Amino acid sequence: MEENEKEKKLELSRREFLKDVELMVGGTVLGSAALLNSSTTGKAIAGTISSQPATGEVPYVEPDDVKPITPVDPPESWDKQADIVVVGLGGGVIGAAKAADMGSSVIALEKMSVVGGTTWHAGALFAFGAKKVPPIPGFPPFDLEKAVQKAVEKSNYTVNESLVRATIIKCGEMIDWLAGLGVEWVINPFGPVYSPAFKGDQRNIGHAAMRGALNPAYARMQEKGGETMLNTQVVALVKEKDRIVGVKVTQLLEGTTLFIKAKKAVILSAGGFSHNKNMLKKYVPTAYSGVGSVSMALPSNTGECIRMGQGVGADMAGYDTFSGFDGGIDFSEVNGPWFRYLY
């Protein structure tokens, strides 16, 4: 019983977290939270994630759905090409729309059959430093350094501080850019956060409110000539010398393989891995030990993009930090008396 109480104290409830952001008001990036933008801290553990087995123990064999995905060589000929290739049309809609708005040709890839991802179902966000949002009564002016410090502290000092700072700065800019597309931001009644206004929802409860930001952004991408490919799963990055030059994809309905060239850049924006239990077990063990229904995110959040990044040398930050709230349904591998939903 005492251990359970200690465990619960490590968790911030959804409402407690919202109350604790007075120095941060302002934002998280549109898109699914992975290890970086976390609000809840588990038992942060310094040092390496795994250790070598003691003599006589069976060697650990890493599951295939955890291993980094090795990039492939360029094909003899490309099937498609664009300046920017965006992987994931949840929060990735924003990157695709912005790139198209700046004059780049864009191909946006989504392995599900619809645009929006988990972000489309989100209710609210913070608005770090954004200027085109109404002030929240009783809250102090936005302070960048205090916001960065609080974010780092809440992760138990496991995130990359420079990346957190860049994310916060760009967050406010993104929200103002969306306001320029006609998104009207209003204060959400659940806490010091913002949602797009819905004229037909006077209560502004905020369920799936973020579609009010994604829809106009996606419309801008299409208006500027961006191409969408649904039911298209990226299976590997394409690497030439020291540069990522495109992606290898599988068209899920046809079963065909295509190579798509990115003349300028590939943007990976395909959610986290909250539906990959083996990755949870390795990188977020505290969440894994108490997770109930695995995640409120869409089933597409299985971590391939993170593993592709690792396959070309990207690092991971934010070990054992996550966003969640109590209350869920047990599954067979859970051994605790309480459970979490993951965002």
Side-chain angles (χ1 to χ4, degrees):
M1 183 66 180
E2 181 179 349
E3 184 64 28
N4 290 341
E5 290 301 317
K6 290 180 180 179
E7 189 75 4
K8 289 179 181 178
K9 288 180 181 179
L10 289 171
E11 286 292 303
L12 289 174
S13 72
R14 189 180 189 186
R15 189 165 295 278
E16 286 170 337
F17 171 65
L18 292 175
K19 291 178 180 177
D20 200 31
V21 295
E22 64 274 10
L23 297 178
M24 299 174 63
V25 171
T28 55
V29 173
L30 281 175
S32 304
L35 290 181
L36 171 64
N37 295 322
S38 55
S39 63
T40 306
T41 306
K43 298 176 180 177
I45 300 173
T48 57
I49 291 174
S50 59
S51 59
Q52 295 296 320
T55 304
E57 290 184 2
V58 177
Y60 171 72
V61 178
E62 191 162 66
D64 288 341
D65 61 357
V66 174
K67 296 176 182 177
I69 297 175
T70 304
V72 298
D73 294 328
E76 292 185 4
S77 62
W78 296 90
D79 299 291
K80 285 178 170 287
Q81 64 177 352
D83 294 329
I84 305 292
V85 175
V86 179
V87 182
L89 274 175
V93 167
I94 307 301
K98 182 65 173 177
D101 204 42
M102 294 175 69
S104 292
S105 59
V106 174
I107 295 177
L109 309 171
E110 170 59 52
K111 72 177 178 180
M112 298 192 71
S113 60
V114 294
V115 172
T118 301
T119 306
W120 195 91
H121 297 272
L125 50 64
F126 300 113
F128 290 126
K131 298 177 175 59
K132 297 180 180 180
V133 296
I136 297 177
F139 278 78
F142 170 69
D143 185 311
L144 174 61
E145 293 308 314
K146 287 182 179 180
V148 172
Q149 180 183 8
K150 186 170 283 289
V152 172
E153 289 175 353
K154 291 302 179 185
S155 76
N156 249 8
Y157 300 91
T158 62
V159 296
N160 182 306
E161 183 173 331
S162 296
L163 190 54
V164 168
R165 179 176 284 102
T167 299
I168 289 174
I169 291 171
K170 290 299 179 181
C171 215
E173 294 177 6
M174 173 199 70
I175 289 169
D176 287 341
W177 179 75
L178 286 167
L181 296 185
V183 178
E184 179 186 351
W185 297 101
V186 296
I187 301 170
N188 188 285
F190 285 124
V193 290
Y194 294 92
S195 297
F198 274 91
K199 306 303 182 182
D201 178 9
Q202 297 303 318
R203 294 179 300 166
N204 189 37
I205 293 176
H207 174 67
M210 217 49 63
R211 66 189 186 276
L214 288 189
N215 290 347
Y218 184 61
R220 175 57 63 92
M221 187 203 84
Q222 292 181 303
E223 174 190 328
K224 295 293 183 176
E227 179 183 353
T228 300
M229 296 178 64
L230 301 176
N231 300 300
T232 302
Q233 180 169 356
V234 176
V235 295
L237 296 173
V238 179
K239 184 178 179 181
E240 185 174 29
K241 297 181 179 179
D242 293 328
R243 186 171 182 272
I244 303 303
V245 295
V247 295
K248 177 182 178 181
V249 309
T250 297
Q251 293 184 294
L252 299 177
L253 299 182
E254 298 86 354
T256 56
T257 296
L258 299 177
F259 285 86
I260 303 175
K261 183 176 183 179
K263 292 184 284 185
K264 292 182 180 178
V266 174
I267 299 175
L268 298 178
S269 182
F273 51 83
S274 50
H275 280 288
N276 183 326
K277 290 192 285 185
N278 286 324
M279 287 187 74
L280 283 175
K281 192 172 186 177
K282 179 174 181 178
Y283 296 113
V284 200
T286 301
Y288 174 84
S289 68
V291 71
S293 61
V294 183
S295 177
M296 293 186 69
L298 298 184
S300 55
N301 286 13
T302 47
E304 290 90 350
C305 272
I306 291 174
R307 293 166 53 215
M308 282 184 239
Q310 290 176 309
V312 294
D315 200 0
M316 291 276 277
Y319 175 66
D320 208 20
T321 59
F322 60 95
S323 178
F325 63 93
D326 294 356
I329 303 172
D330 191 7
F331 64 76
S332 61
E333 296 180 55
V334 173
N335 53 19
W338 58 278
F339 315 105
R340 302 184 181 100
Y341 284 115
L342 295 180
Y343 281 112

